[in-house]
């Protein structure tokens, strides 16, 4: 038996996996248009937005690249806020586009403070865009996008947000929050296989795009996608099987009720964190309110060994990225996990930690259960 606890891909709900195995249909058929319309409506419902949502045949990186290639041009001043590896990657994309980067760096394990972004915007009124990561998967930090957007002056650069590891697992409400662009992906909080990029733009961002004109990228031309979407078409051959899976996953989330689903994910994360700490292991993110509902990072000098021992047991977790390579293990909890999975992952970590020579104590289940039974508030990050 194998247990997947990596921050994407995540274990697939049965309905999602079986929907992806449906017979093929032609992508110029009425049936396909109906599928696309359903996906549009379900995603608008999830995002609480009336605007178009573009589906790209790509992983999250492609969706992020589409934002950069469509909304930025060489020479643009771009405020790039990073609190981990994925913040750096978003920056690197803008940098390769020959934008002038204004870096705002937050120590890894911490969250972005709204004041730091406001300060950078005031110092650079000429900036064209701000790049932010909602859920920094490399550290397990969730950033307060709503608070950041609300703190910005009225006249402000476009706010582009990486929601690759937050979409589905926590509220992402771009219209209500005043965000201009989102780029997400299918394989984490959307509970699907990898391969679909999700892009949403505000009316202001679509207008900016109209005035900038078509990007150099032919495949990631968002105006071209929007045009096709309006006719319920895909400009190129789409990943139809993945669209079926996404349809099933979005239907599952809607049936459960988003608020309930988000609350359950926060509850799992909070109880898991309590169990890990009670065991005597350190969490990378010290501030509870900044901890991700989707992924938790455990900091230990024996991280590599711990990950390998877990893997040998059949439990796959992720290691650290970039500066945290060899220093943390990351455990993801995006799916419908409950108390049995809590016992499985905490018990496995306990056993693996002991066999790597770490000193851990056995009271972890009581601590996790205490938090499990509390009424965890639904986060608004
Ligand atoms: N941004 C974030 C926050 C991510 O977690 C990831 C994937 N781990 C990416 C970007 C890159 O996405 P992908 O691997 O799907 O291309």
């Amino acid at each position: 038996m194998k247990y997947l606890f990596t921050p994407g891909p995540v274990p697939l709900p049965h309905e999602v996996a079986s929907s992806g195995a449906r017979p093929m249909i032609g992508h110029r058929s009425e049936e396909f248009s109906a599928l696309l319309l359903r996906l549009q409506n379900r995603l608008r419902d999830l995002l609480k937005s009336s605007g178009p949502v573009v589906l790209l045949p790509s992983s999250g990186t492609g969706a992020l690249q589409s934002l950069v290639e469509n909304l930025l041009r060489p020479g643009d001043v771009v405020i790039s806020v990073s609190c981990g590896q994925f913040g750096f990657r978003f920056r690197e994309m803008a940098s390769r586009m020959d934008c002038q980067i204004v870096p705002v760096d937050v120590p890894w394990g911490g969250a972005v403070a709204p004041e730091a972004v406001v300060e950078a915007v005031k110092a650079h009124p000429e900036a064209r865009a701000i790049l932010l990561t909602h859920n920094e998967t490399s550290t397990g930090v969730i950033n307060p996008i709503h608070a950041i957007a609300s703190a910005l002056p009225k006249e402000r650069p476009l706010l582009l947000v990486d929601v690759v590891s937050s979409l589905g697992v926590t509220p992402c409400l771009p219209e209500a929050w005043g965000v201009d662009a989102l780029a997400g992906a299918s394989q984490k909080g959307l509970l699907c296989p990898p391969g679909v990029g999700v892009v949403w733009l505000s009316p202001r961002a679509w207008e900016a795009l109209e005035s900038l004109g078509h990007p150099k990228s032919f495949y990631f031309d968002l105006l071209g996608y929007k045009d096709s979407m309006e006719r319920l078409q895909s400009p190129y051959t789409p990943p139809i099987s993945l669209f079926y899976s996404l349809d099933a996953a979005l239907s599952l989330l809607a049936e459960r009720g988003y608020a309930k689903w988000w609350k359950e994910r926060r509850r799992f994360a909070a109880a898991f964190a309590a169990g890990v700490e009670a065991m005597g292991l350190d969490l990378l993110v010290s501030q509870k309110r900044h901890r991700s509902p989707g992924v938790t990072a455990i900091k230990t000098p024996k991280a590599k060994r711990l990950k390998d021992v877990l893997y040998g047991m059949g439990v796959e977790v992720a290691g650290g990225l970039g500066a945290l390579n060899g220093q943390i293990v990351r455990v993801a909890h995006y799916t419908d996990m409950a108390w049995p999975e809590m016992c499985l992952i905490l018990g496995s970590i306990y056993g693996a930690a002991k066999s790597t020579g770490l000193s851990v104590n056995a009271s972890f289940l009581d601590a996790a259960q205490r938090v499990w039974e509390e009424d965890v508030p639904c986060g608004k990050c």
Side-chain angles (χ1 to χ4, degrees):
M1 197 85 167
K2 283 270 177 200
Y3 297 97
L4 188 62
F5 285 88
T6 56
V10 299
L12 302 182
H14 168 72
E15 299 86 329
V16 173
S18 59
S19 296
R22 288 177 65 147
M24 241 347 90
I25 54 172
H27 65 288
R28 301 292 173 215
S29 65
E30 279 183 19
E31 209 178 335
F32 178 77
S33 294
L35 172 64
L36 207 50
L37 180 61
R38 261 199 324 277
L39 286 172
Q40 279 287 309
N41 289 338
R42 290 195 196 286
L43 284 163
R44 285 178 182 144
D45 191 38
L46 177 68
L47 298 171
K48 301 273 173 289
S49 150
S50 48
V53 186
V54 170
L55 295 173
L56 296 172
S58 76
S59 72
T61 307
L64 288 162
Q65 192 166 320
S66 80
L67 296 189
V68 169
E69 290 186 351
N70 282 268
L71 289 164
L72 304 179
R73 290 294 179 264
D76 280 348
V77 173
V78 172
I79 298 169
S80 156
V81 189
S82 171
C83 63
Q85 184 74 1
F86 291 104
F88 280 164
R89 269 209 212 160
F90 205 2
R91 175 178 303 172
E92 174 65 14
M93 289 181 201
S95 183
R96 286 204 195 175
M97 173 69 111
D98 290 330
C99 293
Q100 292 179 53
I101 305 294
V102 176
V104 177
D105 288 323
V106 175
W108 290 27
V112 176
E115 306 77 53
V117 186
V118 171
E119 203 178 300
V121 169
K122 285 193 178 151
H124 294 276
E126 77 287 10
R128 171 151 192 87
I130 306 167
L131 311 184
L132 270 169
T133 312
H134 189 189
N135 188 79
E136 181 46 79
T137 329
S138 64
T139 59
V141 160
I142 184 122
N143 283 307
I145 300 297
H146 187 197
I148 295 169
S150 310
L152 293 174
K154 204 161 180 293
E155 293 293 313
R156 58 176 177 79
L158 293 168
L159 186 55
L160 317 189
V161 185
D162 171 344
V163 295
V164 170
S165 65
S166 59
L167 188 58
V169 80
T170 196
C172 289
L173 308 175
E175 233 166 69
W177 294 353
V179 165
D180 291 295
L182 295 184
S186 53
Q187 77 274 20
K188 304 178 199 268
L190 294 180
L191 314 176
C192 280
V196 181
V198 178
V199 171
W200 176 93
L201 300 188
S202 67
R204 181 167 91 116
W206 283 118
E207 268 166 40
L209 228 158
E210 299 273 355
S211 64
L212 282 168
H214 292 281
K216 279 206 175 138
S217 170
F218 187 81
Y219 200 47
F220 286 145
D221 177 351
L222 292 178
L223 280 175
Y225 267 92
K226 180 169 173 260
D227 202 41
S228 294
M229 288 284 196
E230 277 162 3
R231 291 177 281 111
L232 294 175
Q233 293 277 321
S234 171
Y236 321 112
T237 313
I240 297 167
S241 306
L242 296 178
F243 281 15
Y244 273 133
S245 287
L246 185 56
D247 190 30
L250 290 167
S251 151
L252 280 181
L253 293 185
E255 267 169 34
R256 178 73 60 95
Y258 305 124
K260 186 162 183 276
W261 177 257
W262 294 327
K263 193 172 171 175
E264 286 168 357
R265 306 284 62 76
R266 290 187 77 79
R267 177 197 203 192
F268 192 96
F272 176 64
V276 168
E277 284 188 313
M279 215 182 282
L281 296 174
D282 291 328
L283 294 170
L284 177 69
V285 182
S286 55
Q287 299 268 351
K288 276 188 185 169
R289 68 181 195 284
H290 295 148
R291 287 180 190 155
S292 163
V295 57
T296 299
I298 302 170
K299 196 173 158 199
T300 164
K302 300 226 170 151
K304 189 167 175 339
R305 181 85 191 114
L306 187 63
K307 177 175 174 280
D308 290 347
V309 174
L310 282 166
Y311 191 76
M313 290 177 175
V315 175
E316 189 172 353
V317 298
L321 297 174
L324 289 171
N325 186 11
Q327 294 186 41
I328 57 169
V329 292
R330 292 174 301 141
V331 178
H333 27 81
Y334 281 92
T335 50
D336 199 3
M337 293 178 182
W339 188 249
E341 289 79 11
M342 181 71 70
C343 298
L344 185 139
I345 185 65
L346 282 176
S348 303
I349 291 172
Y350 177 76
K354 271 194 121 172
S355 81
T356 62
L358 285 165
S359 148
V360 277
N361 57 62
S363 61
F364 59 90
L365 270 188
D366 287 338
Q369 196 179 12
R370 268 195 298 280
V371 177
W372 184 258
E373 283 169 2
E374 280 169 12
D375 195 21
V376 178
C378 178
K380 296 267 186 295
C381 283

